[in-house]
Amino acid sequence: TINKITVNAGNKAGTLTVYVSKDGETWTECDSTSTTSSYTDYTFELDGEYQYVKLESTGAQIRVKYVTVD
């Protein structure tokens, strides 16, 4: 299970949304944050009962430099 995800993202200002799932088919929005053009670490705390994570950007193309999953 996943307890925390850290995403280093940037490139343009937009919204980064994290979705979580237990089965990989039914997705629930977990959290979202506004990004900037500077690459920054964004950390999302999960409750540990999910096995799948999906990232979605809106408003701009957000580039991900790296992802850390705990």
PDB file of all heavy atoms in Angstrom, residues 44-60:
ATOM      1  N   PHE A  44       2.123  14.423  -1.051  1.00  0.00           N
ATOM      2  CA  PHE A  44       0.719  14.078  -0.816  1.00  0.00           C
ATOM      3  C   PHE A  44       0.683  12.896   0.148  1.00  0.00           C
ATOM      4  O   PHE A  44       1.265  11.852  -0.114  1.00  0.00           O
ATOM      5  CB  PHE A  44       0.023  13.711  -2.128  1.00  0.00           C
ATOM      6  CG  PHE A  44       0.088  14.791  -3.164  1.00  0.00           C
ATOM      7  CD1 PHE A  44       1.102  14.801  -4.115  1.00  0.00           C
ATOM      8  CD2 PHE A  44      -0.845  15.811  -3.180  1.00  0.00           C
ATOM      9  CE1 PHE A  44       1.168  15.802  -5.070  1.00  0.00           C
ATOM     10  CE2 PHE A  44      -0.787  16.815  -4.134  1.00  0.00           C
ATOM     11  CZ  PHE A  44       0.229  16.815  -5.083  1.00  0.00           C
ATOM     12  N   GLU A  45       0.006  13.081   1.275  1.00  0.00           N
ATOM     13  CA  GLU A  45      -0.139  12.018   2.270  1.00  0.00           C
ATOM     14  C   GLU A  45      -1.368  11.181   1.922  1.00  0.00           C
ATOM     15  O   GLU A  45      -2.460  11.722   1.714  1.00  0.00           O
ATOM     16  CB  GLU A  45      -0.301  12.619   3.667  1.00  0.00           C
ATOM     17  CG  GLU A  45       0.881  13.452   4.142  1.00  0.00           C
ATOM     18  CD  GLU A  45       2.103  12.640   4.484  1.00  0.00           C
ATOM     19  OE1 GLU A  45       1.970  11.441   4.804  1.00  0.00           O
ATOM     20  OE2 GLU A  45       3.206  13.213   4.436  1.00  0.00           O
ATOM     21  N   LEU A  46      -1.191   9.867   1.888  1.00  0.00           N
ATOM     22  CA  LEU A  46      -2.295   8.942   1.632  1.00  0.00           C
ATOM     23  C   LEU A  46      -2.539   8.138   2.895  1.00  0.00           C
ATOM     24  O   LEU A  46      -1.678   8.060   3.778  1.00  0.00           O
ATOM     25  CB  LEU A  46      -1.949   8.020   0.463  1.00  0.00           C
ATOM     26  CG  LEU A  46      -1.468   8.712  -0.810  1.00  0.00           C
ATOM     27  CD1 LEU A  46      -1.127   7.686  -1.863  1.00  0.00           C
ATOM     28  CD2 LEU A  46      -2.490   9.695  -1.324  1.00  0.00           C
ATOM     29  N   ASP A  47      -3.685   7.509   2.992  1.00  0.00           N
ATOM     30  CA  ASP A  47      -4.014   6.793   4.225  1.00  0.00           C
ATOM     31  C   ASP A  47      -3.512   5.356   4.246  1.00  0.00           C
ATOM     32  O   ASP A  47      -3.772   4.623   5.187  1.00  0.00           O
ATOM     33  CB  ASP A  47      -5.504   6.866   4.519  1.00  0.00           C
ATOM     34  CG  ASP A  47      -6.336   6.195   3.449  1.00  0.00           C
ATOM     35  OD1 ASP A  47      -5.775   5.550   2.549  1.00  0.00           O
ATOM     36  OD2 ASP A  47      -7.571   6.311   3.516  1.00  0.00           O
ATOM     37  N   GLY A  48      -2.801   4.926   3.210  1.00  0.00           N
ATOM     38  CA  GLY A  48      -2.198   3.597   3.225  1.00  0.00           C
ATOM     39  C   GLY A  48      -3.097   2.467   2.781  1.00  0.00           C
ATOM     40  O   GLY A  48      -2.681   1.316   2.826  1.00  0.00           O
ATOM     41  N   GLU A  49      -4.295   2.755   2.330  1.00  0.00           N
ATOM     42  CA  GLU A  49      -5.160   1.654   1.903  1.00  0.00           C
ATOM     43  C   GLU A  49      -5.260   1.543   0.376  1.00  0.00           C
ATOM     44  O   GLU A  49      -5.967   0.698  -0.133  1.00  0.00           O
ATOM     45  CB  GLU A  49      -6.561   1.801   2.508  1.00  0.00           C
ATOM     46  CG  GLU A  49      -7.360   2.979   1.995  1.00  0.00           C
ATOM     47  CD  GLU A  49      -8.738   3.046   2.621  1.00  0.00           C
ATOM     48  OE1 GLU A  49      -8.821   3.446   3.786  1.00  0.00           O
ATOM     49  OE2 GLU A  49      -9.709   2.690   1.940  1.00  0.00           O
ATOM     50  N   TYR A  50      -4.500   2.366  -0.342  1.00  0.00           N
ATOM     51  CA  TYR A  50      -4.550   2.358  -1.810  1.00  0.00           C
ATOM     52  C   TYR A  50      -3.289   1.757  -2.397  1.00  0.00           C
ATOM     53  O   TYR A  50      -2.201   1.890  -1.840  1.00  0.00           O
ATOM     54  CB  TYR A  50      -4.756   3.784  -2.340  1.00  0.00           C
ATOM     55  CG  TYR A  50      -6.061   4.371  -1.883  1.00  0.00           C
ATOM     56  CD1 TYR A  50      -6.118   5.262  -0.824  1.00  0.00           C
ATOM     57  CD2 TYR A  50      -7.251   4.006  -2.493  1.00  0.00           C
ATOM     58  CE1 TYR A  50      -7.320   5.787  -0.389  1.00  0.00           C
ATOM     59  CE2 TYR A  50      -8.459   4.517  -2.065  1.00  0.00           C
ATOM     60  CZ  TYR A  50      -8.490   5.404  -1.020  1.00  0.00           C
ATOM     61  OH  TYR A  50      -9.684   5.918  -0.584  1.00  0.00           O
ATOM     62  N   GLN A  51      -3.444   1.111  -3.557  1.00  0.00           N
ATOM     63  CA  GLN A  51      -2.321   0.465  -4.227  1.00  0.00           C
ATOM     64  C   GLN A  51      -1.956   1.139  -5.545  1.00  0.00           C
ATOM     65  O   GLN A  51      -0.906   0.838  -6.107  1.00  0.00           O
ATOM     66  CB  GLN A  51      -2.635  -1.000  -4.481  1.00  0.00           C
ATOM     67  CG  GLN A  51      -2.834  -1.778  -3.205  1.00  0.00           C
ATOM     68  CD  GLN A  51      -3.220  -3.214  -3.472  1.00  0.00           C
ATOM     69  OE1 GLN A  51      -3.704  -3.552  -4.541  1.00  0.00           O
ATOM     70  NE2 GLN A  51      -2.995  -4.072  -2.504  1.00  0.00           N
ATOM     71  N   TYR A  52      -2.810   2.022  -6.044  1.00  0.00           N
ATOM     72  CA  TYR A  52      -2.586   2.661  -7.334  1.00  0.00           C
ATOM     73  C   TYR A  52      -2.704   4.176  -7.195  1.00  0.00           C
ATOM     74  O   TYR A  52      -3.536   4.666  -6.441  1.00  0.00           O
ATOM     75  CB  TYR A  52      -3.617   2.187  -8.359  1.00  0.00           C
ATOM     76  CG  TYR A  52      -3.620   0.695  -8.569  1.00  0.00           C
ATOM     77  CD1 TYR A  52      -4.453  -0.133  -7.822  1.00  0.00           C
ATOM     78  CD2 TYR A  52      -2.782   0.119  -9.512  1.00  0.00           C
ATOM     79  CE1 TYR A  52      -4.456  -1.496  -8.010  1.00  0.00           C
ATOM     80  CE2 TYR A  52      -2.780  -1.247  -9.710  1.00  0.00           C
ATOM     81  CZ  TYR A  52      -3.619  -2.052  -8.957  1.00  0.00           C
ATOM     82  OH  TYR A  52      -3.612  -3.406  -9.145  1.00  0.00           O
ATOM     83  N   VAL A  53      -1.850   4.883  -7.948  1.00  0.00           N
ATOM     84  CA  VAL A  53      -1.856   6.351  -7.945  1.00  0.00           C
ATOM     85  C   VAL A  53      -1.819   6.825  -9.389  1.00  0.00           C
ATOM     86  O   VAL A  53      -1.096   6.268 -10.219  1.00  0.00           O
ATOM     87  CB  VAL A  53      -0.640   6.924  -7.186  1.00  0.00           C
ATOM     88  CG1 VAL A  53      -0.587   8.432  -7.296  1.00  0.00           C
ATOM     89  CG2 VAL A  53      -0.670   6.513  -5.737  1.00  0.00           C
ATOM     90  N   LYS A  54      -2.601   7.864  -9.684  1.00  0.00           N
ATOM     91  CA  LYS A  54      -2.631   8.457 -11.015  1.00  0.00           C
ATOM     92  C   LYS A  54      -2.501   9.968 -10.863  1.00  0.00           C
ATOM     93  O   LYS A  54      -3.120  10.564  -9.981  1.00  0.00           O
ATOM     94  CB  LYS A  54      -3.957   8.094 -11.703  1.00  0.00           C
ATOM     95  CG  LYS A  54      -4.144   8.679 -13.059  1.00  0.00           C
ATOM     96  CD  LYS A  54      -5.344   8.093 -13.796  1.00  0.00           C
ATOM     97  CE  LYS A  54      -6.652   8.382 -13.126  1.00  0.00           C
ATOM     98  NZ  LYS A  54      -7.817   8.006 -13.957  1.00  0.00           N
ATOM     99  N   LEU A  55      -1.679  10.598 -11.716  1.00  0.00           N
ATOM    100  CA  LEU A  55      -1.497  12.047 -11.706  1.00  0.00           C
ATOM    101  C   LEU A  55      -2.156  12.651 -12.933  1.00  0.00           C
ATOM    102  O   LEU A  55      -2.080  12.080 -14.022  1.00  0.00           O
ATOM    103  CB  LEU A  55      -0.009  12.400 -11.719  1.00  0.00           C
ATOM    104  CG  LEU A  55       0.845  11.830 -10.594  1.00  0.00           C
ATOM    105  CD1 LEU A  55       2.303  12.156 -10.839  1.00  0.00           C
ATOM    106  CD2 LEU A  55       0.395  12.375  -9.267  1.00  0.00           C
ATOM    107  N   GLU A  56      -2.778  13.810 -12.752  1.00  0.00           N
ATOM    108  CA  GLU A  56      -3.420  14.499 -13.868  1.00  0.00           C
ATOM    109  C   GLU A  56      -3.109  15.989 -13.769  1.00  0.00           C
ATOM    110  O   GLU A  56      -3.163  16.572 -12.684  1.00  0.00           O
ATOM    111  CB  GLU A  56      -4.927  14.274 -13.817  1.00  0.00           C
ATOM    112  CG  GLU A  56      -5.676  14.929 -14.955  1.00  0.00           C
ATOM    113  CD  GLU A  56      -7.160  14.639 -14.870  1.00  0.00           C
ATOM    114  OE1 GLU A  56      -7.550  13.504 -15.201  1.00  0.00           O
ATOM    115  OE2 GLU A  56      -7.912  15.523 -14.436  1.00  0.00           O
ATOM    116  N   SER A  57      -2.792  16.599 -14.906  1.00  0.00           N
ATOM    117  CA  SER A  57      -2.554  18.043 -14.920  1.00  0.00           C
ATOM    118  C   SER A  57      -3.677  18.733 -15.673  1.00  0.00           C
ATOM    119  O   SER A  57      -4.197  18.198 -16.648  1.00  0.00           O
ATOM    120  CB  SER A  57      -1.208  18.369 -15.572  1.00  0.00           C
ATOM    121  OG  SER A  57      -1.247  18.063 -16.944  1.00  0.00           O
ATOM    122  N   THR A  58      -4.046  19.917 -15.194  1.00  0.00           N
ATOM    123  CA  THR A  58      -5.037  20.739 -15.883  1.00  0.00           C
ATOM    124  C   THR A  58      -4.530  22.172 -15.910  1.00  0.00           C
ATOM    125  O   THR A  58      -3.800  22.606 -15.025  1.00  0.00           O
ATOM    126  CB  THR A  58      -6.412  20.698 -15.172  1.00  0.00           C
ATOM    127  OG1 THR A  58      -6.242  21.019 -13.800  1.00  0.00           O
ATOM    128  CG2 THR A  58      -7.069  19.337 -15.292  1.00  0.00           C
ATOM    129  N   GLY A  59      -4.891  22.874 -16.955  1.00  0.00           N
ATOM    130  CA  GLY A  59      -4.523  24.277 -17.071  1.00  0.00           C
ATOM    131  C   GLY A  59      -3.201  24.517 -17.765  1.00  0.00           C
ATOM    132  O   GLY A  59      -2.945  25.607 -18.251  1.00  0.00           O
ATOM    133  N   ALA A  60      -2.337  23.513 -17.811  1.00  0.00           N
ATOM    134  CA  ALA A  60      -1.031  23.655 -18.450  1.00  0.00           C
ATOM    135  C   ALA A  60      -0.358  22.285 -18.501  1.00  0.00           C
ATOM    136  O   ALA A  60      -0.760  21.349 -17.811  1.00  0.00           O
ATOM    137  CB  ALA A  60      -0.150  24.626 -17.681  1.00  0.00           C
TER     138      ALA A  60
END
